[in-house]
Amino acid sequence: MADIFAAVRLGGERPAAARRALLTLWQELDNGGDPLQRCVIAHHLADLQDTAAQSLRWDQRALGAVFGPGVPLDEGMRGFLPALYLNLADSHRRIGEFELARMQLTIARGHLEVLAADAYGALIRTRLDRVEAALTSGTTDRLPADLLGRRC
């Protein structure tokens, strides 16, 4: 996990380097490895993509790591679900798949009870509202970083 977080930290200043580092780690796992590691890598790779379609594919891989065959849905993995579904909703919205985006938002809201009443929980709830507002307005534009720092 230390290598994963080191690669993620590169993303703010050097996104291409972060993408390369995370892709290398993803390839090293080669469909094996710890599901949490696969989820975190895919979750952050989604944020580093150039297009919404590419982001969506990585968002789907992140969720797939959580629900892979034989993967127990423990408390740690369950805590990722609101953010994973939020990001899926935003990616679907950005490619114009509004009904799928609404469905993902509904699922995300259904998992909010796992979040604590802390700053992270508030952040996810706020971002859900902002994606929903963008969806309601029919925009496919990327939300500004100050409104939605995309990854949660």
Side-chain angles (χ1 to χ4, degrees), residues 33-87:
D34 181 80
L36 179 61
Q37 290 175 336
R38 293 179 61 73
C39 177
V40 171
I41 291 169
H43 185 62
H44 288 285
L45 272 168
D47 193 36
L48 296 169
Q49 301 307 305
D50 294 326
T51 70
Q54 293 168 326
S55 291
L56 177 60
R57 281 192 290 281
W58 283 105
D59 287 332
Q60 291 167 333
R61 288 176 181 143
L63 191 65
V66 172
F67 291 115
V71 176
L73 189 59
D74 64 20
E75 194 64 29
M77 296 290 266
R78 194 172 8 264
F80 275 108
L81 293 177
L84 294 176
Y85 283 110
L86 165 62
N87 291 338

Side-chain angles (χ1 to χ4, degrees), residues 2-128:
D3 290 339
I4 294 169
F5 290 121
V8 168
R9 280 191 297 276
L10 283 173
E13 296 176 16
R14 298 177 33 218
R19 186 172 39 240
R20 282 191 305 276
L22 287 168
L23 281 170
T24 298
L25 292 168
W26 179 264
Q27 291 165 348
E28 287 174 3
L29 292 176
D30 191 37
N31 290 326
D34 181 80
L36 179 61
Q37 290 175 336
R38 293 179 61 73
C39 177
V40 171
I41 291 169
H43 185 62
H44 288 285
L45 272 168
D47 193 36
L48 296 169
Q49 301 307 305
D50 294 326
T51 70
Q54 293 168 326
S55 291
L56 177 60
R57 281 192 290 281
W58 283 105
D59 287 332
Q60 291 167 333
R61 288 176 181 143
L63 191 65
V66 172
F67 291 115
V71 176
L73 189 59
D74 64 20
E75 194 64 29
M77 296 290 266
R78 194 172 8 264
F80 275 108
L81 293 177
L84 294 176
Y85 283 110
L86 165 62
N87 291 338
L88 278 167
D90 191 45
S91 289
H92 280 295
R93 178 195 61 80
R94 288 182 52 222
I95 62 174
E97 296 177 343
F98 297 127
E99 288 306 312
L100 288 171
R102 284 183 188 89
M103 180 181 72
Q104 300 301 332
L105 281 176
T106 299
I107 295 169
R109 288 190 187 284
H111 288 285
L112 287 176
E113 78 280 351
V114 303
L115 296 178
D118 60 6
Y120 179 74
L123 176 73
I124 297 299
R125 288 175 180 88
T126 298
R127 289 180 177 174
L128 277 165

